[in-house]
Amino acid sequence: MEGSSYRVVFEKGGVYLHTSARKHQDPDSLIAGIIRVVEKDSDVLLHWAPVEEAGDPTQILFSKKDSSSGEPSTSEEEPTFDPGYEPDWAVISTVRPRPHLAEPRRGAEPSCPRSSWAFSVSLGELKSIRRSKPGLSWAYLVLVTQAGGSLPALHFHRGGTRALLRVLSRYLLLASSPQDPRLYLVFPHDSSALSCSFQHLQLFDQDSSNVVSRFLQDPYSTTFSSFSRVTNFFRGALQPHPEGASSPDLPLLPDDEPEPGFEVISCVELGHRPTVERAPPVTEEEWTRHVGPDGRLQNIPELKSRIFSGGLSPGLRREAWKFLLGYLSWEGSAEEHKAHVRKKTDEYFRMKLQWKSVSAEQERRNSLLHGYRSLIERDVSRTDRTNKFYEGPENPGLSLLNDILLTYCMYHFDLGYVQGMSDLLSPILFVVQNEVDAFWCFCGFMELVHGNFEESQETMKRQLGQLLLLLRVLDQPLCDFLDSQDSGSLCFCFRWLLIWFKREFPFPDVLRLWEVLWTGLPGPNLHLLVACAILDMERDTLMLSGFGSNEILKHINELTMKLSVEDVLTRAEALYRQLTACPELPHNVQEVLGLAQPREHSSPSPPVSPLTLSPTRTPPPQSREDVVPQPDSSLEILPEDEDSTYS
């Protein structure tokens, strides 16, 4: 490469090649490198090289940071193993046998010199770009050339796939494939090639030779029936916009519906945010007024509404939480409740006896139970130890935590115990102060959040996607800023959603927050609006301080114990009212807020533009032939010397 004739317009470090097909990558199979987009005369090249040679000044003439690339120039990258996620995300530990590792794929010999993996390809030689399935693992891109060969998959351990696609879109047209929304077809920037692209994609029934000129002149009347299939393609490729800027969405014509399975996310104009005032807590006297002669509660919707708007007084929680968590029926009488408690007490101790009766010799042959016991003992020993209810070396509260969690493993064999559950049980036991009642209340809570602890993490991924969807409607500039800092996935909110903000607020505030969320009012996902409220409160600090991704994560972690639960709940309710007052709220946002039923049809996710990304649907399952080796998204038990998992 001739150094003097090159200009680097984009570069990103922390881009790895995974040279082994193993699910668990070891450091020797990871090659750290730098990806660059380089202009040379009339050609544009995509260049990747290992870090030991990527920064050689005799090879490439570096330019200063391109203002529209959104990525800083990096001349040096440490060739160390990067786990691909911030330690704060590693909050799920699961007890399971380690899988057998597959053999390395052909051509990935450990003895192969790292320099031999470097490659450079002209953008004109690219045929398609495949993007990884959204998730919490490392994102990757697979580049396919016109000759039909695939370049090594590029794994972005520190983010940057969106930024690279934005830069590539300056030189190429990237069209989402109708068959696979994660596959971008690559076309050059000229109208004749674009007409061929229309014919190739079969987007129009008639001859497409003059489609481009007609569409640019009148985008609404020209073949509008096919528009929903290519919304993102036209929006990203044909609309003129400044380099690096996201294209605005094109509005739908009145009374026009997109095809099933395709939702056009357009800019929503929200009205004024209303003022909300919280009410005082529900007192024991007020609760008593709702109890009938036979002990049956009356005016239940009104009572739930009061709990939502004000919470509960501390002395009332021990009784009221049993109703909020489904242990006692809202419609049951006092006698029915007594019979129910007797039945559930017998059931609890039968399950407890199952693990109590296992001898030490039996447990040595039961690695699953032994693993649960060890993990529970370690977690319980550091759960809320500053709270007087749990402080001290021989505290009986710790023994109760341990027994309840082990019994839950007998109750829910499939899920067992996962790190973080002790944080959810601790406030419940503190409030009800009874082993049996605490167990069944905990089971009720777990019915709401058990998906958070599943090994696949699909529930957490879906919630992060829903959170991002809400935030895009509420504050698109904030989303754009987070995108520009490789934080657009909102994974710094992972801990918030996993254990319902347990580590973000002081202990008394957690009690207030949870009882409000348990009412299910005003909709099923108030916890997502709580997250939006916190981000809204920190918006100016994040955007005006020039934070990068590491600083954003650090700032979010430092909010712990500094937030006011009443302020956050007030703002969350105001955001809800602001959204529900919007007459043009997209259907998928209405679904998240519980205002609309999910659509009955089952269809693949809409094509997603590389310029504006919306997590409205989960992409369809990929075929086995399309699977590219990627890092394991499951997380192992953390080391014994770890002081705290997510503090």
Side-chain angles (χ1 to χ4, degrees), residues 325-637:
L325 289 168
Y327 177 35
L328 298 181
S329 170
W330 290 93
E331 291 79 18
S333 66
E335 288 302 318
E336 290 170 341
H337 290 157
K338 289 179 182 178
H340 180 74
V341 169
R342 286 194 297 269
K343 175 184 175 183
K344 288 297 183 180
T345 300
D346 291 342
E347 189 175 342
Y348 172 78
F349 282 108
R350 280 198 302 271
M351 290 186 291
K352 183 175 181 179
L353 184 62
Q354 291 174 1
W355 63 265
K356 278 281 192 180
S357 60
V358 174
S359 67
E361 183 179 353
Q362 285 177 301
E363 187 170 322
R364 280 197 297 270
R365 295 190 293 270
N366 189 333
S367 60
L368 194 62
L369 178 61
H370 180 73
Y372 286 146
R373 188 191 294 273
S374 299
L375 187 56
I376 289 171
E377 288 177 355
R378 190 184 69 184
D379 285 358
V380 164
S381 67
R382 58 191 188 188
T383 298
D384 291 325
R385 298 307 303 276
T386 58
N387 187 304
K388 290 185 178 180
F389 189 75
Y390 297 109
E391 68 181 5
E394 301 296 332
N395 193 298
L398 300 181
S399 299
L400 291 178
L401 282 177
N402 182 87
D403 290 359
I404 292 172
L405 291 171
L406 273 171
T407 305
Y408 185 78
C409 294
M410 301 294 105
Y411 173 79
H412 200 318
F413 283 105
D414 290 339
L415 186 60
Y417 177 79
V418 182
Q419 212 161 18
M421 291 182 181
S422 61
D423 272 289
L424 301 185
L425 173 60
S426 169
I428 294 174
L429 181 60
F430 170 82
V431 167
V432 301
Q433 300 192 13
N434 176 280
E435 181 180 359
V436 175
D437 293 345
F439 173 82
W440 291 112
C441 287
F442 174 68
C443 290
F445 195 4
M446 288 301 300
E447 283 297 310
L448 297 175
V449 300
H450 70 88
N452 293 3
F453 299 94
E454 291 173 352
E455 189 175 353
S456 68
Q457 301 179 12
E458 289 301 322
T459 299
M460 290 301 301
K461 295 172 188 176
R462 184 180 70 251
Q463 289 181 87
L464 287 170
Q466 292 173 334
L467 174 58
L468 180 57
L469 178 62
L470 292 176
L471 197 62
R472 284 197 183 281
V473 176
L474 289 167
D475 196 339
Q476 182 64 48
L478 176 58
C479 286
D480 291 341
F481 167 76
L482 294 173
D483 274 341
S484 70
Q485 302 302 321
D486 292 332
S487 299
S489 62
L490 303 182
C491 284
F492 53 83
C493 302
F494 187 91
R495 184 179 72 188
W496 295 358
L497 306 183
L498 180 79
I499 53 174
W500 276 29
F501 309 92
K502 167 64 162 51
R503 292 293 181 98
E504 317 314 316
F505 293 95
F507 197 85
D509 284 2
V510 171
L511 308 183
R512 172 60 45 81
L513 174 65
W514 284 4
E515 63 199 15
V516 170
L517 295 177
W518 290 335
T519 64
L521 299 175
N525 288 308
L526 181 62
H527 66 295
L528 300 181
L529 289 170
V530 168
C532 288
I534 297 174
L535 293 175
D536 186 65
M537 294 168 71
E538 299 300 316
R539 178 186 195 274
D540 291 344
T541 301
L542 293 173
M543 296 184 67
L544 300 180
S545 300
F547 286 161
S549 58
N550 289 336
E551 290 81 8
I552 291 173
L553 179 63
K554 182 174 182 290
H555 178 77
I556 293 298
N557 285 338
E558 289 176 349
L559 295 177
T560 300
M561 304 301 162
K562 297 178 182 178
L563 298 168
S564 164
V565 71
E566 292 296 332
D567 290 345
V568 170
L569 285 172
T570 299
R571 190 167 303 220
E573 185 178 352
L575 293 176
Y576 176 84
R577 294 186 185 181
Q578 184 182 24
L579 287 169
T580 54
C582 176
E584 301 176 352
L585 201 63
H587 188 274
N588 53 355
V589 180
Q590 295 182 44
E591 290 178 9
V592 174
L593 298 177
L595 304 176
Q597 293 296 322
R599 287 171 174 156
E600 294 180 0
H601 58 76
S602 177
S603 57
S605 61
V608 179
S609 164
L611 299 179
T612 51
L613 306 173
S614 296
T616 56
R617 307 276 182 200
T618 302
Q622 55 188 357
S623 65
R624 295 184 66 87
E625 291 78 15
D626 292 337
V627 174
V628 177
Q630 56 182 311
D632 184 16
S633 62
S634 62
L635 302 175
E636 302 295 335
I637 300 174

Side-chain angles (χ1 to χ4, degrees), residues 307-328:
I307 298 173
F308 166 74
S309 61
L312 296 162
S313 61
L316 183 57
R317 285 182 175 134
R318 185 174 184 178
E319 179 180 1
W321 278 26
K322 298 173 187 177
F323 292 91
L324 288 170
L325 289 168
Y327 177 35
L328 298 181

